[in-house]
Structures are given as structure tokens and as C-alpha cells.
Amino acid sequence: MTEMTLVQAVNRGLFEAMRQDPDVLVLGEDVGVDGGVFRATDGLINAYGAERVIDTPLSETGIVGTAIGMALYGLKPVAEIQFLDFIYPAFDQIVSELAKFRFRSGGQYPCHVVIRAPYGGGIKGGVYHSQSTEAYFCHTAGLKVVIPSTPADAKGLLLTAIHDEDPVMFFEPKRIYRTATGEVPDGDHRVPFGQARTVREGEHVSIFAYGAMVPLASEAAAALARDGISAEIIDLRTLVPLDEAAAIASVEKTGRAVVVHEAARFCGFGAELSAILAEKAFYSLKSPVLRVTGYDTPFPYALENVYLPSAARIEAAARTVVREG
Amino acid sequence: MAKTARPASEAGPRPGHELSNDRLLAMYRVMAFARAIDERCLSLQRQGRIGFYVPASGQEAAQIGCAAALTDDDWLFPAYRELGLALWRGVTFRTLMDQFLGTSADRLKGRQMPNHYGYRERNLVVASSPIGTQITHAVGAAMAMQRRRAPQVSATFFGDGATSSNDFHAGMNFAGVYRTPTIFFCQNNQWAISLPRERQTRSATLAQKAEAYGFPGVVVDGTDIHAVFDAVATARERAVAGEGPTLIEAQVYRFGPHSTSDDPHRYRSDADLAEWKRRDPILRLREELQNSGTLTETGESELQDAIRREISETIAAAEGAPPIDPATLFDDTFAQRTPRLEEERAEFERLVREGVIRP
Ligand SMILES: Cc1ncc(C[n+]2csc(CCOP(=O)(O)OP(=O)(O)O)c2C)c(N)n1
Ligand SMILES: [Mg+2]
């Protein structure tokens, strides 16, 4: 075990994967000599050379499209998109090609590409360095969508992603890249997909979160505890595949649910989770499911603290669902 | 084939494109102002007084030489590194400071990061961060100008890195097909963050890419304001005469970091920078103005004093401006607030009343 930050854990995960398998390679803008604008790929080029750590021209279409070609041929590319906000030139490659290669070839052409992208607000990044658009990808059948919130999960889920058989969108909460710290197992470390993590057990309300919202949910739970409200926090970790059983079991226990994400509310991931709870845990619910989310506006610069969910907003929503049922 | 515009010092500009000493002095003032703003804003960012900054140092002659060769009716589609354009078009430093700080006077209502601005009355279209996307917009605007038979052109500004983007190729292709009155002004500052120009494309020049799309591409020394002005004035004449687009590659060097989030020491040597700094566009023009007797030693020091004073006074005033009203967040997503946005705005106001949100 070694204590490290979340971004260091991503880095360690990449080192480990490249050590394990010579077919693993990394490509993206500024990932080589510069070590990535957030330093997630720092040192890889010195260890593994420019053939396996590829600084690409400024073209997301090129990055993802060529990664798909490499994967078809048998390599295991890990593509970095510098910010999730800049993934859209590659959207066609992701939704039309990457997500559908296996299906449209009747299983002949699996297409195992991992796409890493820092996402989310809280770094004063304004409209284009802050967005949290995981829902687009969750909505596209054929893509797995993973969002870690701790260093250990970042490494463990990344290694699972790289050894998976399917395309994986791996979104990293850049706001907590350096503030989330913790012990991370050395060497190989895998965290399975489709298993939520219970951050804290509780009796009165289930708070569902992922990524940078998890530490805020913990903060809210601590404040609620001072007033005798016991909140259970579930870190979803993988949105696709989703651990529905864990979500349902938690609500069967607490009878109340708050879903937190920084993405806009309308058609966000919270809508899906709320629908699942309405379909499969309806008779356990004592009050309506509430969502604490970004607003249905583009992401603002000066007012990002207004836009983003806060511990206080999560706490207020939890008090409401407890009061009402 | 891409042609290298003759260095102005050798052959001189084409007839009608000569710049008078008065004009050059006016250009020099804006260039010096831009450089001083960059220096101050970098230090404001280090002190935490603004959140972020993108310096344009080294690119002043390219930007101001280009802007000066256009008319105020021409539409500009900039990226985020175009301080010189904004200043030449008459955007005041106060307006920019309000944007950098996101004050209540910010015309963009605090929506965007510093440097990502635009002002409709200046025909300076608002910038975004995604690389290259403005290029197709400029071509579309030029198609609209054609349709209206307007004697205008559109000019779009982008970097060497942007030549790898989808929109560069789509925009160049459309412009060639429809022979649009568009000037593609590429500031090749040799770097796209850490990627050097020679790793961006195997092409010998960026300008030569125009050949494949069926229109001229020219390389100019972007530190030579005469060469830039001449190339842009020529491209503009072609455009308004219905002869179609031009790609201009202005070769410059990014003196500073990519942005305040970047550390160029990780990927480039000081030696290259020092080499290019010998061709600092501001020093070049200053020397010329001094040699022609247009700018005296006292004139220069008075100018620098006036610039320093204006910058300090403007920063102090802008920092004293009230912050933006948070309820404005719910405006401008649509022309009218939808019922859903009304609901979210009401929720926000309730949370403020209850003390949950302290904006
Ligand atoms: C589509 C897209 N991908 C990546 C980025 C991140 N990024 C911002 S600036 C930049 C380099 C741009 O280089 P260049 O086009 O040469 O312009 P310069 O910054 O040198 O003026 C990159 C990769 C982005 N803004 N947009
Ligand atoms: Mg550049």
C-alpha cells in the first residue's frame, strides 16, 4: 500500500498496465513529453518510449479513430481526451463506431478501447473545462462508463477497464485529482465493474453519488449525523454496468433516496436511477426521490459555486426527504 | 504552391499597402499596450486576482497587422489568444478586465473563462475553447455575406494545432468550393501546448494545405508588421473582388506559457525562445520608428508611463466593481426562461433565503 492522490493513482495504474502487457499503449494530446496537462501520464514516455506513449496531433477524431483501429488489430489502446469537454469531435467515432463494432459484426470485431477523460467543475474552468456529460455515453448502448472517487478505485477500476473486453469510458473527477488521497495497493489491483461501494452505512436516507460528489455527500452525512439523521452513502463507481441491486437494497433499508450529480438535471444519470427506484423499490419509498444536481444551463465561469451541488444542498435535500416521509 | 511573401525589408509591400509612419505609430501603441496587459495579467493571475490567463506575447504584429488591414465591418472569428484584435477593434481594457474578473459589468455575464470574449458591436464574435470550431463559422458568415452581396469579408484566427482539427478541413473545403470571402489567418506560434509544429503535420508549411483545397496559401513573417499587413490587404482585395479565400500562415513564436496552467520548461528550451526574442515584433517596430524619427526616447517613455497608469487605474476600478448577480445564471440558456428554468431559479432563490446557498 502506498498513500497517494487520485491523479497519482491513475498514473500508477497506467504504469502497472503497461508493465503487465506490452500491447497496452497510451495516446493523446500532450501525454508524452509534457506528461499530460494534469500529469496523469507523467513519466510514462521515459519508461516505455514514444512508440507506446504517443503524442498525437490535435485531433480527437484522430485519437479515437486510430485507437479503434489499433484495438481491432489486437492492441490495447488507452486514449486520453484532454478534457471531457473536448471529446465531441470524436463523438461520431465513439457512438457510431466504438460502441457498435462488436454488435454490428455479430461479435466478430470486439473493440476494446479505454478512453480516459478528466471531467467536472470546481476548478474555475468555465463553460468548456467543467462539464459532466456522462449521460450521453451512458445512453449509448455498448459503452461501459466508469467514474472513480478514490485513489484506490481509480487504480483498481482503471486496471479492470484496461483488461476488460469492451469499450470503457473512464471519467476522472479532476476537481479531486489532488485533494482525494488514500492508500492504494501496490502492483496489480482490480476493482470489479458493477459493484457499488458503501461509503458509509445509514438508516434514514440513501445518498447516491459518484466522482467528485462523493466527498461532498460525506460532508453532508457528517452534518446530518449531528442532528441524528443517519445517511447511507453509496458510491456508484460504474454507471454502466450499474449495481442496481445495491441501490435497491439500500433504499429498501432506508426508505428514502437523494441522487447527486454535478451534471444538469434533465435527462441526467439521476433520472435513470430515480426511474429504477420507482420501478423496483417503489413500495419501500417513504418520500419522493430528490435530485441534487447542476442546473439546466450550460456550465458558468463566475457562478460555478452557484451551479455546482454543495454539501449544504445535499444536506438540505436529505432533510427534506426525511421530513416528508 | 505556397509562396513565402517577400520580406518587406527586401521588396517592400505591394503598391497601396505601404504604412505611413503615423499609422505605424498607432499600431505600435496598441502592440505595446497589449504586451503590457499580458505582463500585468500574468502577475494578477499569480497573485490569485484573476483565475486564468492566456498570453499573446510574441504575436502582436501578426494580430495587429492583420486587424489593421481589415475594415471594422469585417467579421472576426477569433480563438482565445487574440488580445491584439480586441484592442485594435476598440475594445477597452476595462471591458476586458470586467470579463477577466466576471464582474457585474462583464458583457458576457461571467459565463466564460478569461480571454474567451467577444463583442457584437465590434464584429468580434465570441470565442469558445474547443479548437478550430470557429473556422467553419467564418466560412458560413462569408457565405451569408456573398448572398447579401455585402462588401465585407470574414477572417478567422487559429493556431498551428487547429490545422489538425475537423473544422479546419471542413471550413477550407467549403470556402474553396464556394469561393467565399474568407481569410484564414493561422498564427503558427510553433507550439500546440507541448507539441511542436513539426509534429503537428508532415507538411512543409501550413500554408501549403490551401493548395489542396484550391486556393492560395502564403507564409509571412509574423514578426514583420509590414509583411503581415501586405498579405492580409492582398487577401482582402481578392476576397471582395470575388476571387475567394486565402490562407495566411503568420510565423511567430509563443513567448509565454500556453496559459497560466502550463509550464513550458517541461517541453521546450530557453535557447529557441531567446533566438525568437531577438525578433520580438515590438522591438522590431520600435527600432524602425526610432530610426525614422517617429518615436523619440521621451515619446517611448511617456507612452510606457501612460500605459502603466491606465492599466493600474483600470484594474483598481474593475476590482472595485460589484460581482455578478447570481440569478442571471438562469438567463440566456434560451431566449425566454422555460418553465423548468423558472422552477430552478425559484429553487435557487429559496435555497438562498434558507441560507443553504451563500453565493
Ligand atoms: C478540441 C480541443 N481539443 C483539445 C483542446 C485543449 N487545448 C487547448 S489549446 C490546445 C493547443 C492549441 O494549439 P494551437 O492551435 O497551436 O493554438 P495556440 O494555443 O498555440 O494559440 C489544446 C490541445 C481544446 N481546447 N479543444
Ligand atoms: Mg500554436
Side-chain angles (χ1 to χ4, degrees), chain A residues 71 76 98 102 109-114 142 144 159-168 193:
Chain A
K76 295 184 173 177
L98 182 60
R102 180 190 291 278
Y109 286 101
C111 195
H112 170 237
V113 174
V114 177
K144 292 180 176 170
L159 280 163
T160 301
I162 294 171
H163 294 295
D164 201 83
E165 295 178 314
D166 293 309
V168 181
F193 286 179

Side-chain angles (χ1 to χ4, degrees), chain B residues 26-41:
Chain B
M27 292 163 109
Y28 175 74
R29 286 171 180 279
V30 179
M31 286 166 65
F33 193 32
R35 180 68 59 89
I37 288 173
D38 260 7
E39 283 164 5
R40 277 298 269 286
C41 286

